[in-house]
Amino acid sequence: MIELYLSKVNETSETEQAGKLYARVSYKQSMTIQDMARHMAEHNTVFSEGSILGVLTDFVKCVREMVLNGNTVKIDNLAIFKATVESNALEVLYDAENDKVATASIGTLAEGAKTGAAVKTVKLLAQSTGDFTREELRKDVRLAWTDKTKAEIAAAKGSDGSTGSNGGSTSGGTTTGGSDQGNDGPPPEGGGFGG
């Protein structure tokens, strides 16, 4: 189950989101490769935690190698990993006045420069695929408020939270109570509410 809290956009913000509440995920913990190997070994497998850890560690190295060689790596029902770039806005391929050419490199353009490094930065992109697409996740996810947010909602209603205040859980895309806010709002600009 994914637990949510509410984050309030700073009311002094000069955007239309000012003062509005947005649902955010309350992450329970960060799982390392070692944690995943331990978890997988607990699923009645013939492989030991150490064997699984070795395979996962090698797998990560190989995915990195393939991505850095310009390949995409598709892990069925999880994600497609690939490198992407944020580019500079070049005006010309060759600036004869300054004898500069566009380069396949990372950097920033000097103020007024017409050409130079083509790339600002390189990023890893993970795009969901198969059983992990947005549509599939919506079918399978279960959502609920954190205990702290349940208490804040109860306080806002003026109750002690013991009379029918469910967690606003959602399953299969159907709201069973509480708020049906998505997580598509803008990131909070300050002031945490319930977080």
Side-chain angles (χ1 to χ4, degrees), residues 15-131:
T15 66
E16 65 182 51
Q17 291 84 22
K20 293 187 179 167
L21 301 168
Y22 291 91
R24 300 287 181 240
V25 174
S26 177
Y27 296 102
K28 296 173 181 82
Q29 68 182 73
S30 179
M31 303 289 289
T32 65
I33 290 180
Q34 176 88 37
D35 296 329
M36 289 303 296
R38 185 176 307 113
H39 174 77
M40 291 172 70
E42 292 170 355
H43 280 267
N44 298 320
T45 178
V46 297
F47 301 106
S48 70
E49 179 182 330
S51 296
I52 295 170
L53 179 61
V55 170
L56 289 176
T57 301
D58 286 348
F59 179 76
V60 169
K61 288 178 185 173
C62 290
V63 169
R64 177 182 169 85
E65 179 185 353
M66 291 297 108
V67 168
L68 289 175
N69 279 320
N71 297 305
T72 63
V73 178
K74 181 179 180 182
I75 314 302
D76 292 336
N77 298 316
L78 180 62
I80 300 168
F81 295 93
K82 57 187 170 184
T84 184
V85 298
E86 185 179 327
S87 26
N88 287 313
L90 306 180
E91 292 182 34
V92 294
L93 293 174
Y94 175 64
D95 179 3
E97 186 179 317
N98 296 305
D99 192 29
K100 285 195 168 188
V101 296
T103 60
S105 62
I106 300 171
T108 56
L109 294 181
E111 191 172 329
K114 295 180 180 180
T115 197
V119 173
K120 286 183 189 177
T121 190
V122 180
K123 303 181 229 178
L124 176 67
L125 180 68
Q127 178 182 351
S128 61
T129 186
D131 290 342

Side-chain angles (χ1 to χ4, degrees), residues 136-147:
E136 291 300 317
L137 286 172
R138 186 179 173 107
K139 292 176 191 174
D140 296 333
V141 74
R142 291 183 310 134
L143 302 173
W145 294 120
T146 62
D147 289 342

